[in-house]
Amino acid sequence: MTIRLFPPLAVLAMTMLAIPPGLGAEPEWRHATALVGEPKYAEGFERLDYVNPNAPKGGTLNLSASDSFDTLNPIPAKGDLAVGLELVFETLMTSSEDEIAANYGLLAEAVRFPEDYSWVSYRLRENARWHDGEAVTAEDVVWSFEQTVAHNPQREFYYRHVVKAEKTGPREITFTFDEKNNKELPKIVGELLILPKHWWEDAEGEPRAIDETTLLPVMGSGPYRIANIRPGESMTYEKADDYWGKDLNVNVGRHNFDRVTYTYFGDRNVEFEAFKAGDVDFWRENEAKRWANSYDFPAATEGRIIREEPENLYRSSGVLVGFIPNLRREKFSDPRVRRALNYAYNFEEQNKNLFFGAYQRIDSFFYGTEFASSGLPEGKELEILESLRGQIPESVFTTPYENPVGGNERDVQANMRANLREAISLFREAGYELRDGRMVNAKTGEPFTFEILLNGAIIEKVALPYAENLKRIGVDVSVRVLSDSSQYQNRLRSRDFDMIYFGWSQSMSPGNEQAEYWGSGAADREGSANYGGIADPAIDQLVKQVAFAEDREMLIATVRALDRVLLAHHFVVPTYTLRNSRLAYWDHITHPEELPYYGLGFPDVWWFKGNE
């Protein structure tokens, strides 16, 4: 999961950039950055390889979204943000979808940093403009950063190493860091949204509240502006004909639709019916049963609906999804209890009966990537773990991680009974016992009960059988489905839950975000991505080593070591994933013959066929 934040800056003379003392000669300006190898596209390139430079322009793209929204302000951690705002706001740099962790100039035309990565400077494009025609300035960048870290705890933590942000020239901004040799820091400050200071600070003489939710049509600098808002129901974006960046090489062949509309649905099945009726143009299927059985309607059988299963999007990402216990609850503090919870989950039966055999069981926090650990540690990975021996579970050195197998073709029930017996044994080791069919604390007699909190009903069919299995060993589990997404988000942010079903996405260049996921500093911070509340000194040390890995080989070894330690603590009951997208779309929209290797290019490089 890449975390998008905002930038800080530095003040200097009008004629030249001041270089922090002791760093020697000024570094050269670059058009791009890459964390893996060198940027694919040389300075002055004409366009990205995967776009159609002659893609026709025009038409309206009708999309759908789930639940609702109540804010258009991306800064504070408040409310449910409307989808599609990336069409309105821009960042200093933008990524390409046929490379791993490579960024090219967008609002900024160039970037530079010293060999020790202790600071980074960005130079804005002279013609960059807001939708009202005002220039995008260095002051906007500084202000955006300052407001973000002031009003969003997650962003503040992510940018904790930025100690100074200054304007250092008419169009130059410098970020200074409190540590050296963290290669990712220059990149992540370039990926953050930039907002117009003058729009937020001058609404007919009265400032708008940047720290509050709003449904005002916010202004940006991107290829689209907000055309229509129906609060909680729909958002319409229309192309900005005077968009300043339409001829940039990174934008050739992109932004081909005149209008993009998102309609919100509170029920996923109703949303699918809208797609079948032609009211929605594009559908990403997330239900195996529906993908297998529900595409027999006329438009699909007649070929007017196109179905594809590309793996592109998953070539650049890993994932962990599952049931996450809240470690802040004393009942989940013992790893034997958490391990017992895994023995009650029967993936094999669900995959057969619910998922048509389409899914794979997740067995890594970096599943689907080269960072996933397997077997026993060796080489550099073993050296890293040996330095932490005594601080990490001994099983890391002796026992490869494996999920319990909940079923087999011969005797599913016998296999599951054996797993439940093992779960009871682990509970017993942790100080619990069965009394009158209930799992209770052997000393206090308190029953072991908890609630699984779900955001909507789609995972209910997964959670209910899991809860029933736990009840078979005396653990009283309830499943609560919240239909109001904002209520779920508020409980998630405030850690008001026993167990949730959630997960993390991982890029092919893990770095500073790992502290946000597993670091002690994020464990008790409201709104962080450390949902379970992991707080472990050895894990903190590994997270820091990931950020400072000197080369790709060491990065892989360190992340695999981190993966092993996380798995050995049984922080999550891993569930399942699919390593390809399931796409369905009406034949009046289309895409380049070759999608970008690491993405779908949607909707950026797609177009309306009726204009060909």
Side-chain angles (χ1 to χ4, degrees):
M1 153 192 252
T2 299
I3 301 178
R4 301 274 180 183
L5 306 169
F6 302 32
L9 315 97
V11 162
L12 223 274
M14 298 290 288
T15 56
M16 63 182 290
L17 175 69
I19 300 301
L23 293 183
E26 296 181 6
E28 64 179 14
W29 289 101
R30 309 161 183 254
H31 75 292
T33 64
L35 288 180
V36 181
E38 295 295 324
K40 173 182 177 180
Y41 297 97
E43 188 169 3
F45 68 95
E46 293 184 7
R47 62 177 176 85
L48 301 171
D49 287 346
Y50 53 84
V51 306
N52 174 6
N54 302 312
K57 308 292 185 180
T60 297
L61 179 65
N62 293 304
L63 301 176
S64 62
S66 298
D67 301 318
S68 184
F69 70 93
D70 59 12
T71 184
L72 306 178
N73 183 359
I75 293 237
K78 296 179 179 180
D80 287 327
L81 194 65
V83 296
L85 287 171
E86 68 277 3
L87 301 171
V88 175
F89 299 119
E90 293 185 302
T91 53
L92 294 171
M93 306 288 279
T94 187
S95 59
S96 66
E97 290 188 66
D98 56 352
E99 297 174 87
I100 296 173
N103 281 2
Y104 296 84
L106 185 57
L107 285 172
E109 64 182 5
V111 57
R112 65 176 174 178
F113 45 82
E115 290 184 2
D116 65 0
Y117 301 96
S118 58
W119 55 270
V120 63
S121 292
Y122 286 94
R123 188 173 68 213
L124 294 173
R125 296 186 190 272
E126 188 172 6
N127 64 329
R129 292 290 184 273
W130 299 109
H131 289 153
D132 63 359
E134 293 289 322
V136 179
T137 67
E139 288 84 357
D140 290 320
V141 180
V142 174
W143 179 84
S144 296
F145 170 77
E146 292 174 345
Q147 296 303 313
T148 301
V149 298
H151 302 301
N152 191 311
Q154 185 174 348
R155 308 289 202 247
E156 180 186 23
F157 181 78
Y158 196 57
Y159 273 87
R160 65 196 184 280
H161 295 302
V162 180
V163 295
K164 187 166 57 173
E166 304 170 289
K167 175 181 177 181
T168 49
R171 291 182 287 117
E172 294 174 13
I173 307 106
T174 298
F175 303 83
T176 304
F177 309 126
D178 66 0
E179 60 184 18
K180 299 178 181 180
N181 301 311
N182 188 332
K183 299 178 181 180
E184 195 179 26
L185 289 177
K187 176 180 180 294
I188 61 178
V189 294
E191 292 180 335
L192 305 184
L193 298 179
I194 310 303
L195 276 67
K197 177 181 178 182
H198 70 282
W199 187 88
W200 285 94
E201 291 196 340
D202 186 18
E204 298 180 354
E206 294 293 329
R208 296 180 170 99
I210 189 67
D211 60 335
E212 296 295 337
T213 62
T214 184
L215 288 171
L216 290 171
V218 294
M219 187 175 72
S221 62
Y224 292 82
R225 54 168 54 94
I226 296 172
N228 187 45
I229 306 166
R230 294 175 61 192
E233 297 181 18
S234 68
M235 284 286 300
T236 299
Y237 304 90
E238 66 179 7
K239 187 180 291 186
D241 292 332
D242 56 352
Y243 171 46
W244 72 273
K246 62 183 177 182
D247 296 324
L248 289 180
N249 50 12
V250 293
N251 286 333
V252 171
R254 299 175 64 202
H255 316 131
N256 300 316
F257 299 101
D258 281 346
R259 294 167 71 88
V260 179
T261 296
Y262 288 90
T263 301
Y264 283 76
F265 295 86
D267 184 282
R268 184 72 172 166
N269 292 321
V270 175
E271 192 175 343
F272 182 64
E273 290 301 316
F275 169 71
K276 289 169 60 177
D279 297 328
V280 174
D281 295 321
F282 180 90
W283 179 260
R284 282 193 66 178
E285 187 58 76
N286 65 346
E287 188 172 320
K289 181 179 179 180
R290 186 163 48 223
W291 186 251
N293 294 336
S294 299
Y295 288 80
D296 54 356
F297 55 97
T301 58
E302 293 166 7
R304 289 180 288 142
I305 295 288
I306 298 171
R307 294 209 290 168
E308 298 178 354
E309 298 185 59
E311 63 180 22
N312 304 49
L313 193 62
Y314 295 90
R315 292 171 178 154
S316 63
S317 64
V319 68
L320 173 69
V321 179
F323 294 99
I324 305 171
N326 188 348
L327 306 181
R328 305 167 189 87
R329 305 279 201 262
E330 176 63 28
K331 66 183 67 180
F332 297 121
S333 62
D334 194 308
R336 292 168 295 190
V337 167
R338 302 194 297 267
R339 186 181 172 202
L341 297 177
N342 197 2
Y343 273 93
Y345 177 63
N346 192 340
F347 162 73
E348 286 73 20
E349 184 174 25
Q350 290 191 346
N351 196 35
K352 178 181 178 181
N353 297 331
L354 292 178
F355 308 139
F356 295 81
Y359 292 115
Q360 305 109 44
R361 183 83 193 268
I362 296 171
D363 59 2
S364 168
F365 279 70
F366 301 84
Y367 186 83
T369 74
E370 62 185 331
F371 301 106
S373 59
S374 63
L376 291 174
E378 56 186 25
K380 289 187 176 181
E381 190 180 346
L382 180 57
E383 292 177 17
I384 294 167
L385 293 168
E386 284 286 2
S387 69
L388 297 170
R389 191 183 281 271
Q391 304 175 56
I392 58 178
E394 188 64 21
S395 61
V396 165
F397 302 98
T398 61
T399 310
Y401 178 85
E402 291 182 352
N403 286 308
V405 177
N408 56 51
E409 292 295 330
R410 295 181 181 177
D411 194 341
V412 173
Q413 292 304 315
N415 219 39
M416 196 60 209
R417 284 196 297 270
N419 285 347
L420 293 179
R421 285 195 296 271
E422 181 63 24
I424 291 172
S425 176
L426 287 164
F427 266 108
R428 187 178 297 114
E429 290 178 20
Y432 292 86
E433 64 184 21
L434 279 171
R435 292 182 190 170
D436 300 323
R438 303 187 76 187
M439 188 67 68
V440 300
N441 186 298
K443 293 182 178 179
T444 67
E446 181 183 359
F448 194 98
T449 67
F450 65 92
E451 175 188 82
I452 300 175
L453 186 69
L454 300 179
N455 185 14
I458 192 168
I459 299 297
E460 187 176 19
K461 62 189 175 186
V462 177
L464 287 175
Y466 178 48
E468 287 302 314
N469 281 340
L470 285 164
K471 289 177 182 178
R472 291 170 62 184
I473 60 171
V475 177
D476 187 13
V477 180
S478 61
V479 176
R480 183 174 183 185
V481 177
L482 295 181
S483 57
D484 183 348
S485 180
S486 61
Q487 184 182 0
Y488 176 84
Q489 291 298 329
N490 288 335
R491 289 191 60 176
L492 179 65
R493 288 171 183 152
S494 63
R495 312 312 188 197
D496 182 18
F497 63 86
D498 293 329
M499 177 180 281
I500 56 172
Y501 188 90
F502 215 63
W504 301 264
S505 177
Q506 294 285 356
S507 75
M508 293 300 288
S509 184
N512 293 273
E513 77 286 347
Q514 302 304 308
E516 173 70 12
Y517 299 165
W518 334 115
S520 298
D524 293 320
R525 181 167 44 80
E526 182 172 320
S528 80
N530 188 343
Y531 309 116
I534 298 169
D536 183 275
I539 291 174
D540 291 340
Q541 189 169 335
L542 286 168
V543 164
K544 189 169 185 177
Q545 290 181 44
V546 168
F548 286 90
E550 58 189 20
D551 54 34
R552 186 72 177 176
E553 182 182 6
M554 182 57 73
L555 177 64
I556 293 172
T558 308
V559 176
R560 287 178 179 173
L562 172 62
D563 186 35
R564 290 184 189 278
V565 176
L566 290 169
L567 289 168
H569 282 287
H570 305 283
F571 291 131
V572 179
V573 177
T575 55
Y576 54 87
T577 188
L578 183 69
R579 298 300 294 171
N580 56 271
S581 303
R582 292 178 293 212
L583 310 180
Y585 56 93
W586 284 82
D587 63 356
H588 54 253
I589 64 172
T590 191
H591 59 72
E593 184 176 349
E594 294 257 348
L595 288 171
Y597 189 79
Y598 293 112
L600 302 177
F602 185 82
D604 283 6
V605 305
W606 293 50
W607 63 87
F608 190 62
K609 256 177 112 174
N611 292 326
E612 291 181 335

